[in-house]
Structures are given as C-alpha cells and as structure tokens.
Amino acid sequence: MRYLRRTWPFHLMLLPALALLIVFNYIPIGGIVMAFQDYKPWLHISGSPWIGLDNFRLMFEREDSMQVIWNTLLIASFKIVFNLLTPFAFAILLNEIRQKYLSRSIQTLVYLPHFLSWVILGGILVEFLSSDGGFVNRVLHWMFGIKPIFFLGDGNWFRFTVVVSDVWKEFGYNTIVFLAALAGINPSLYEAAEVDGASRWAQTRFITIPSLIPMAIVVGTLALGKILDAGFDQIFNLYNSMVMSKGDIIETFVYRTAIVDGQFGFATAVDTLKSLVSMILIVISYRLAYKLANYRVF
C-alpha cells in the first residue's frame, strides 16, 4: 500500500495509454472469428454462417494469394538486408568525420525523411520518377544517354524503387542504434592502436567493425519478425494495376479483398495467418538475439 500511495500518479498517467491499447489492440482481436465465417456485414458476427477452415483453404488454393506471399517475402527480405547494411556502413563513415558540426549537420539531414509520411513522399516520387520528363530520367538521359525508365510502371523496377526509397527514408534514423554502439566503444582501444601504429582503416577494421557486429546481429535477428511486413503505406501510395503482379503484398491484398471486394472473412483469414506467423518469427528472433548476442528484453 505504501508503494501505491507513492506511485499512484504514475499509474494514473498510464491509464489513457492503457485505454487506447485495450480499445484499439485487444478488443479488435475478437474479430478473428470472421476468419471462420462467411461474414456478411448486415448479419454481423453473430448471424454470419460458420464455414470452418474454408477461408484458410481458399487462401492456399488461390494463385494470387501465393504470388502475394512471395512478393511480400521478397520485398521485405531486401528491405531488411539493406536497412541493416546501409546504416551500419553510414554510421562508420559518419564516425570518421572529425568536424562535429559537419557530422551533426549530416545527421540532421538524413534523419528528416523518416518524419515524412509516405503520402507526401509518394507524391514526390511519382513526380521525380515519371517516365515523361521526371527529374531522375532527365538526369539519367543527360549523363548516360539512357532511355526513360518506367520506375513505377514496370514490376521489376517497381520492386527496386520500393526497396531503394525505403532505405533512403529510414537509413538515417536507423543509424542512431549504431551510433549509440559506437559511443560505447572504449577510447583507450583506439589510443592503444595509434601507439602501435595502426592506420585509420586498421582501427576501423579491427576495432570499430567488430564492436558493431553484436549490435548488427541484434538488429538483424529482431528484424526477422517483420519478414511479412513489407510496408503497407509505401506500397499503397506507389503501386498501380500495371505492377500488381509483382508489387502487391499481403497488407494491400487484405485491404483490397476486404474493403474493395467485400470478402471480409477471407481477408481476415489471410491477416490472421500472417499475424500468427509473425508472432512465431518474433519469438524465434528474440531467442536468436539472446543466443547470438546475449540480448534480452526481460
């Protein structure tokens, strides 16, 4: 009781966040029952007929479902890899800049895209990457004589564009983790290396990179839990019917089948299976992070 008398203001501060969590994250879990129904909005959950696992069975029978899963895995895998390698390399390069004002200015500039929504960036990319006089195509034609590339209208180029634009948007923010790891390196290691005559490259190779590898392992293994999250906001704002076969992912597929086509039960089944697999992968990734880098949350 003494503890509660001292801390009740903090518990009170948590109530709004707890209420939002319950309303938007826990109560909707009850909607999972739609995955086992031929759900009709006018009949509601209580009146819609039960069809067992038919929606899940249909998911594996439909050819477009398998294509969507493959698209998601491919795009998400490339995002995970390059969103790990790019901040890793950038943090090392930024660490080598001796003028603090310059490094901080660069940090601020590369952080900014993270705070812009994909609604804004989507419109910018559509204009910049347009095959009809877009800035990027003009530069490519002027410098290399390349014919206009349909970045957002060709499936293969669309995947490339999605990965590159996501890395560009997030790598500055993701660099924070590695910069924090760099700040934790004992300066005496560099001093001893300088005394031994090690060059800057040698210090980077034998001190900086090995010191960052445990954090890279943690970030990489934890990212495995997001292997089925390819980025709904980005894809939804960039894709179109011409790239649907190679750009459609699970989230956009669920949105289209539920909101556009009205197949609520089927869409719920797809999203439920995705959530189940993601939960399993998150558990596995945390176990791997603990085994490989001794990282644990609890």
Side-chain angles (χ1 to χ4, degrees), residues 17 30 44 85 93 100 102 122 133 165 200 227 231 260 285 294:
H44 305 293
L85 295 179
L93 294 174
K100 292 299 179 183
L102 180 59
S165 59
R200 292 300 304 173
I227 194 69
V260 179
S285 66
N294 199 30

Side-chain angles (χ1 to χ4, degrees), residues 17-291:
L18 184 62
L20 289 173
L21 186 68
I22 292 172
V23 170
F24 292 103
N25 291 82
Y26 283 94
I27 292 178
I29 291 177
I32 290 177
V33 298
M34 290 192 297
F36 306 95
Q37 295 178 321
D38 182 15
Y39 178 77
K40 305 296 182 185
W42 55 89
L43 297 176
H44 305 293
I45 291 177
S46 58
S48 298
W50 292 86
I51 58 175
L53 298 175
D54 286 357
N55 284 322
F56 293 92
R57 191 176 300 111
L58 178 61
M59 179 175 59
F60 290 102
E61 291 175 353
R62 286 180 53 164
E63 186 176 342
D64 55 346
S65 298
M66 295 296 100
Q67 182 62 44
V68 162
I69 293 173
W70 169 246
N71 292 342
T72 304
L73 289 172
L74 191 63
I75 293 173
S77 297
F78 277 109
K79 281 186 177 182
I80 289 172
V81 170
F82 288 103
N83 273 319
L84 175 63
L85 295 179
T86 307
F88 184 92
F90 184 74
I92 294 174
L93 294 174
L94 200 61
N95 188 56
E96 294 300 312
I97 298 177
R98 290 291 170 257
Q99 293 81 8
K100 292 299 179 183
Y101 72 91
L102 180 59
S103 64
R104 289 172 183 170
S105 300
I106 294 173
Q107 280 181 259
T108 303
L109 288 175
V110 298
Y111 288 169
L112 288 178
H114 170 78
F115 300 100
L116 297 177
S117 73
W118 276 113
V119 176
I120 297 172
L121 290 179
I124 294 173
L125 287 173
V126 167
E127 293 297 324
F128 265 63
L129 300 176
S130 172
S131 60
D132 185 21
F135 175 77
V136 174
N137 275 306
R138 285 188 177 184
V139 171
L140 291 175
H141 178 72
W142 175 64
M143 295 184 66
F144 306 105
I146 299 175
K147 294 182 179 179
I149 299 172
F150 209 176
F151 288 102
L152 299 178
D154 180 276
N156 292 323
W157 278 109
F158 180 79
R159 288 175 176 173
F160 171 82
T161 303
V162 164
V163 173
V164 171
S165 59
D166 184 73
V167 172
W168 166 74
K169 182 178 185 294
E170 300 296 340
F171 86 94
Y173 189 78
N174 293 337
T175 303
I176 295 173
V177 177
F178 295 106
L179 290 175
L182 284 171
I185 300 175
N186 191 340
S188 63
L189 295 175
Y190 292 104
E191 294 170 2
E194 287 183 5
V195 171
D196 290 339
S199 63
R200 292 300 304 173
W201 166 242
Q203 293 176 40
T204 301
R205 181 181 175 186
F206 295 106
I207 299 175
T208 306
I209 293 178
S211 298
L212 287 180
I213 286 178
M215 181 56 68
I217 292 173
V218 170
V219 174
T221 51
L222 295 183
L224 292 177
K226 299 180 180 179
I227 194 69
L228 293 180
D229 293 325
F232 171 80
D233 291 346
Q234 181 190 21
I235 301 295
F236 184 75
N237 283 286
L238 293 178
Y239 84 149
N240 53 70
S241 58
M242 292 183 290
V243 297
M244 196 73 72
S245 61
K246 293 189 176 182
D248 199 17
I249 59 173
I250 293 176
E251 292 99 325
T252 54
F253 180 70
V254 168
Y255 168 83
R256 195 172 61 258
T257 53
I259 306 302
V260 179
D261 299 337
Q263 301 178 38
F264 296 100
F266 175 72
T268 304
V270 174
D271 200 53
T272 299
L273 186 61
K274 169 187 173 291
S275 299
L276 180 62
V277 173
S278 296
M279 183 185 69
I280 294 171
L281 288 173
I282 287 172
V283 173
I284 292 173
S285 66
Y286 271 88
R287 292 300 300 170
L288 285 174
Y290 175 65
K291 292 290 185 182

